[in-house]
Amino acid sequence: MLRFFLKAAGVVLVLSLLVFTLILARVSTTSPGSGGLRAELDRYPTLRGIFRLHSYGDGKTDYLLSKYKQIKLEIDYLPGYAPSEAMRLNLDKDLEALTGKTVSSFLSDEISSGENNTERYNETELSSLESKYRSTHTSGQTAALYMLVVTKSSEHPTNVGETMDENSFVMFDQEIQELPTYSTDELKLEESTALHEFGHLLGLEHSSSGVMEAQVEVSGGQIDPSNYWFSAGDLARIRSLRQKYAT
Ligand SMILES: [Zn+2]
């Protein structure tokens, strides 16, 4: 009898592994945002964890589904790189306009000086900072968004921002401060960098105009003001996503 149960347990185990592998294969071949099984799993933060769905676009339901009433934006930063209150208030308003939810950003941790003796940060260092310092996660009626502010990227030194997990991004503020237009457009540069990365988290790709352009356009020492906000096409994309997830 015991042998029978062991055998049966073995069969069940093999079958469950097979199903799990099939689901993983199915999930990984479907890109975020394209519907199907992955889009269904994306709706649940716990399942995203189990199936390792951490690409940009996988977390968009946190910011769009009506069950989440508010968004908390946690910001951790290197000493000297805390975003100003003015920038945060502008960004909160922008994100409220995009998502229709109440958004509140807050400065959480100053990263200890022991971890800031590197001038540039690679992906591994960034994700270990996120796992060490991040304290806000999506739960109940609150969706979490996470921003890490450091100096520069070591892999892509001219990048001003990058997505990390499906609900987090990094801002390379030293790189932003070195842009020729920083002295006149400090707030807008930081705000639009955050908006660009948030656009990716909603699943948007690079666009030929607006804030989702791959590169900030500077002409005559000025940034094209159209780079500060989403193009009409991207706004329409966001609107249709909001409709899709409004139920
Ligand atoms: Zn981008």
Side-chain angles (χ1 to χ4, degrees):
M1 204 55 166
L2 181 65
R3 277 182 68 128
F4 170 76
F5 277 122
L6 283 177
K7 220 173 174 179
V11 169
V12 169
L13 182 69
V14 167
L15 280 178
S16 348
L17 278 176
L18 184 67
V19 169
F20 186 75
T21 314
L22 283 174
I23 291 177
L24 266 188
R26 173 82 180 87
V27 163
S28 57
T29 53
T30 319
S31 66
S34 66
L37 182 57
R38 185 169 187 156
E40 283 309 308
L41 297 176
D42 277 348
R43 290 169 174 253
Y44 307 98
T46 317
L47 291 181
R48 291 204 303 263
I50 293 171
F51 290 103
R52 308 182 63 78
L53 303 175
H54 300 307
S55 297
Y56 72 82
D58 281 322
K60 64 179 174 300
T61 46
D62 288 11
Y63 310 119
L64 299 170
L65 281 174
S66 56
K67 69 173 172 174
Y68 300 111
K69 306 296 179 211
Q70 55 165 338
I71 299 172
K72 285 213 160 157
L73 166 55
E74 174 184 350
I75 303 172
D76 292 337
Y77 53 93
L78 287 181
Y81 290 98
S84 69
E85 190 180 13
M87 181 285 206
R88 288 197 294 106
L89 291 176
N90 288 346
L91 183 59
D92 289 354
K93 271 191 233 144
D94 293 340
L95 297 178
E96 287 187 347
L98 287 176
T99 61
K101 316 220 180 249
T102 308
V103 179
S104 51
S105 60
F106 64 101
L107 297 179
S108 182
D109 294 300
E110 183 172 276
I111 291 159
S112 88
S113 53
E115 291 173 85
N116 112 53
N117 43 22
T118 169
E119 280 177 26
R120 297 178 173 194
Y121 289 80
N122 64 34
E123 261 180 47
T124 316
E125 290 162 335
L126 292 170
S127 58
S128 77
L129 285 180
E130 179 180 358
S131 29
K132 182 162 182 191
Y133 287 91
R134 179 172 184 168
S135 50
T136 319
H137 298 277
T138 295
S139 78
Q141 298 190 330
T142 304
L145 176 63
Y146 181 76
M147 171 160 85
L148 182 62
V149 189
V150 300
T151 47
K152 282 174 190 269
S153 155
S154 55
E155 286 112 339
H156 312 106
T158 60
N159 275 13
V160 290
E162 279 170 15
T163 58
M164 295 195 291
D165 282 339
E166 78 277 25
N167 47 26
S168 61
F169 62 94
V170 56
M171 184 154 84
F172 298 112
D173 207 42
Q174 190 189 347
E175 186 59 25
I176 295 178
Q177 291 181 16
E178 286 171 7
L179 290 175
T181 46
Y182 183 73
S183 56
T184 51
D185 270 337
E186 169 193 349
L187 295 185
K188 282 288 177 195
L189 287 173
E190 290 169 345
E191 187 186 338
S192 57
T193 300
L195 286 175
H196 178 101
E197 301 313 325
F198 185 71
H200 282 318
L201 295 184
L202 292 181
L204 298 184
E205 313 257 342
H206 285 147
S207 180
S208 57
S209 61
V211 79
M212 292 311 293
E213 271 190 54
Q215 289 183 318
V216 178
E217 277 180 35
V218 179
S219 65
Q222 291 289 313
I223 289 184
D224 184 344
S226 73
N227 275 146
Y228 292 148
W229 191 241
F230 294 85
S231 67
D234 282 329
L235 286 175
R237 267 170 218 113
I238 294 172
R239 251 197 318 277
S240 78
L241 283 171
R242 273 180 67 171
Q243 276 162 4
K244 179 174 175 186
Y245 292 109
T247 48

